[in-house]
Amino acid sequence: MKFKSDAVRVELSEAEPKVVAIALYADWWSMIEFGHQLIVTDVSRSQAEYDAIYAEAVLRGNYWTDGGGIRHYAGPMPHLSDPVRKLKCRAVDLGVRHSGFMEEERLLRSEAILLADRVNAYWPRRDGKRTAMYHDVGQGPHVHLQAEI
């Protein structure tokens, strides 16, 4: 497993253990199936980072207002980490190749879809949601891994 930065490596070491296990499984399976390691591109985020990334969500009405007119992302926040509240991040993003980001460790789109399918088959969630998905929220395509609460 490789990391976009040392900060991301530290974030993964502090994440919920189950999502760390899922990420390690995904990396192992990628080595077996595709012959290369994965690159972890994102782990934890602050509320401000969520707001910046999901700014277009305001058009979909997926925001709440704090009374002062400031809008915040109101969807599920699996990347949110808050040491004060002892809240550990429960999501990991894995890089997928796209314009400007063609490192070998980044998955091809076809590999990303296969990996998400494999993780969902072997790490099912009791709440009916997917453990892994291939998507893009405006920062480039990636595989999003998420452990249930």
Side-chain angles (χ1 to χ4, degrees):
M1 181 176 291
K2 296 187 178 183
F3 301 90
K4 181 175 83 172
S5 67
D6 285 339
V8 170
R9 181 185 51 76
V10 171
E11 289 173 3
L12 184 63
S13 73
E14 296 170 349
E16 279 292 336
K18 186 169 184 177
V19 80
V20 173
I22 294 166
L24 289 170
Y25 172 82
D27 186 61
W28 169 82
W29 193 77
S30 177
M31 286 292 297
I32 301 285
E33 191 67 21
F34 310 130
H36 61 83
Q37 294 176 305
L38 299 175
I39 184 165
V40 177
T41 57
D42 193 18
V43 180
S44 69
R45 295 185 190 135
S46 66
Q47 181 66 57
E49 290 169 315
Y50 262 106
D51 290 346
I53 291 170
Y54 292 92
E56 76 279 1
V58 71
L59 301 174
R60 299 187 304 265
N62 199 16
Y63 268 72
W64 58 273
T65 302
D66 66 1
I70 297 172
R71 295 177 173 174
H72 300 279
Y73 177 65
M77 296 184 269
H79 286 282
L80 191 62
S81 181
D82 185 347
V84 174
R85 293 187 299 161
K86 297 187 188 291
L87 180 64
K88 290 188 173 193
C89 168
R90 55 187 177 86
V92 172
D93 289 343
L94 306 171
V96 174
R97 294 181 204 181
H98 64 284
S99 176
F101 296 93
M102 297 301 290
E103 300 102 322
E104 182 180 310
E105 294 82 12
R106 289 180 179 263
L107 295 162
L108 296 172
R109 181 180 183 278
S110 59
E111 293 172 339
I113 293 167
L114 286 172
L115 178 64
D117 288 346
R118 175 70 177 210
V119 169
N120 287 325
Y122 283 82
W123 292 83
R125 291 175 52 157
R126 294 181 301 253
D127 62 6
K129 295 180 181 176
R130 293 177 289 174
T131 301
M133 70 179 88
Y134 169 75
H135 71 165
D136 184 353
V137 294
Q139 302 249 314
H142 60 275
V143 173
H144 172 86
L145 304 176
Q146 179 175 321
E148 62 189 315
I149 299 172

